[in-house]
């Protein structure tokens, strides 16, 4: 997905750009900063901490408990359930990753149309199963990028990390103490009463923080 961003930027003639991403989008932002620092002016990662070398770690047992949905997808029965009823599977995440009341029913109904695309289930399943199952098919066109990523620990561009203090998916403790991984400025912002979707739950605060980052990096 990081290479997709570079390919798109090349196609439309954008040489250098800032990246703001949530969850998987945050992972893409960190990967772009690690592999293509000459193309990225600054990044903001929402709800997901940086993972040096692109390595995924389970963290504490408490964090592993929150990742039940990942392990569920790694079973054949779980994968089958996600394919059969992706909307119900996604709804559990919306209902449990943040404090109650953060979204309206019509919001979920609008977004749920995307969950019903066959591509959504297959991409989601492959993304999580490839973390844990060595038998899962990966695209070997990106092996060279993966090898480069595995050698990269420190990020060279200004970075903002925003997380909800009530994130019940990626626990806030997992994003603590990362300052030494950033060579050109790092800010971690924790939003009180906000869960896993800070850009939807506290859009004003997120926008203000991102604008400060963009202004400083300009």
């Amino acid at each position: 997905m990081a290479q997709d961003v570079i390919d798109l930027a090349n196609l439309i003639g954008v040489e250098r750009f800032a990246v703001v991403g949530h969850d998987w989008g945050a992972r893409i932002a960190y990967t772009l900063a690690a592999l293509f620092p000459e193309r990225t002016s600054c990044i903001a990662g929402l709800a997901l901490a940086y993972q040096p070398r692109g390595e995924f770690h389970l963290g504490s047992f408490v964090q592993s408990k929150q990742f039940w949905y990942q392990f569920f997808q790694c079973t054949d029965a779980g994968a089958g359930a996600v394919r059969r009823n992706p909307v119900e599977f996604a709804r559990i995440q919306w209902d449990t990753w943040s404090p109650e009341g953060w979204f309206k029913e019509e919001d979920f109904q609008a977004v749920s149309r995307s969950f019903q695309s066959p591509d959504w289930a297959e991409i989601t399943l492959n993304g999580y199963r490839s973390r844990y199952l060595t038998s899962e098919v990966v695209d070997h066109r990106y092996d060279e990028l993966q090898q480069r990523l595995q050698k990269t620990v420190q990020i060279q561009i200004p970075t903002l990390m925003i997380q909800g203090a009530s994130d019940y998916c990626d626990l806030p403790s997992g994003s603590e103490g990362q300052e030494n991984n950033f060579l050109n400025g790092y800010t971690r912002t924790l939003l009180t009463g906000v869960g896993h979707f800070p850009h939807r739950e506290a859009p004003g605060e997120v926008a203000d923080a991102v604008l400060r980052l963009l202004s400083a990096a300009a």
Side-chain angles (χ1 to χ4, degrees):
M1 290 185 284
Q3 183 63 58
D4 286 348
V5 175
I6 295 297
D7 292 343
L8 175 62
N10 290 342
L11 184 65
I12 62 177
V14 176
E15 182 61 29
R16 204 155 185 260
F17 46 86
V19 183
V20 181
H22 169 256
D23 202 306
W24 282 32
R27 190 182 307 280
I28 296 168
Y30 294 131
T31 302
L32 285 165
L35 296 179
F36 304 99
E38 73 284 358
R39 302 294 298 273
T40 47
S41 58
C42 60
I43 62 169
L46 279 60
L48 191 72
Y50 172 54
Q51 296 167 321
R53 301 188 179 89
E55 295 176 347
F56 179 77
H57 298 285
L58 290 177
S60 66
F61 284 116
V62 174
Q63 177 63 79
S64 295
K65 178 184 176 183
Q66 307 308 110
F67 284 161
W68 70 268
Y69 67 98
Q70 299 185 16
F71 311 141
F72 180 78
Q73 293 175 82
C74 289
T75 67
D76 291 340
V82 172
R83 291 186 177 103
R84 286 192 305 273
N85 199 339
V87 174
E88 184 177 344
F89 177 69
R91 180 59 184 253
I92 295 173
Q93 274 66 267
W94 279 51
D95 284 342
T96 60
W97 284 358
S98 295
E100 289 185 24
W102 73 271
F103 67 94
K104 297 179 181 178
E105 184 60 32
E106 53 264 35
D107 294 334
F108 180 80
Q109 293 303 322
V111 175
S112 68
R113 292 194 290 270
S114 299
F115 302 145
Q116 297 175 61
S117 166
D119 284 349
W120 185 86
E122 295 308 317
I123 292 169
T124 300
L125 288 167
N126 181 258
Y128 290 112
R129 289 169 67 91
S130 61
R131 293 183 184 180
Y132 304 104
L133 305 177
T134 57
S135 60
E136 187 70 10
V137 175
V138 296
D139 193 331
H140 292 291
R141 290 178 297 172
Y142 305 107
D143 285 352
E144 187 270 335
L145 286 178
Q146 186 67 43
Q147 291 167 7
R148 283 173 51 198
L149 186 61
Q150 291 170 349
K151 298 176 182 177
T152 305
V153 175
Q154 294 177 307
I155 296 294
Q156 302 176 32
I157 64 173
T159 300
L160 168 68
M161 193 275 168
I162 300 176
Q163 186 162 25
S166 298
D167 188 333
Y168 305 136
C169 175
D170 291 278
L171 301 180
S173 57
S175 63
E176 295 175 346
Q178 291 210 332
E179 290 77 9
N180 291 338
N181 291 324
F182 300 90
L183 300 179
N184 197 21
Y186 172 73
T187 301
R188 174 180 179 261
T189 299
L190 203 62
L191 301 179
T192 302
V194 172
H196 189 67
F197 305 90
H199 53 303
R200 296 185 67 112
E201 299 173 58
E205 293 176 83
V206 170
D208 288 344
V210 170
L211 288 173
R212 286 194 295 271
L213 171 71
L214 295 175
S215 177

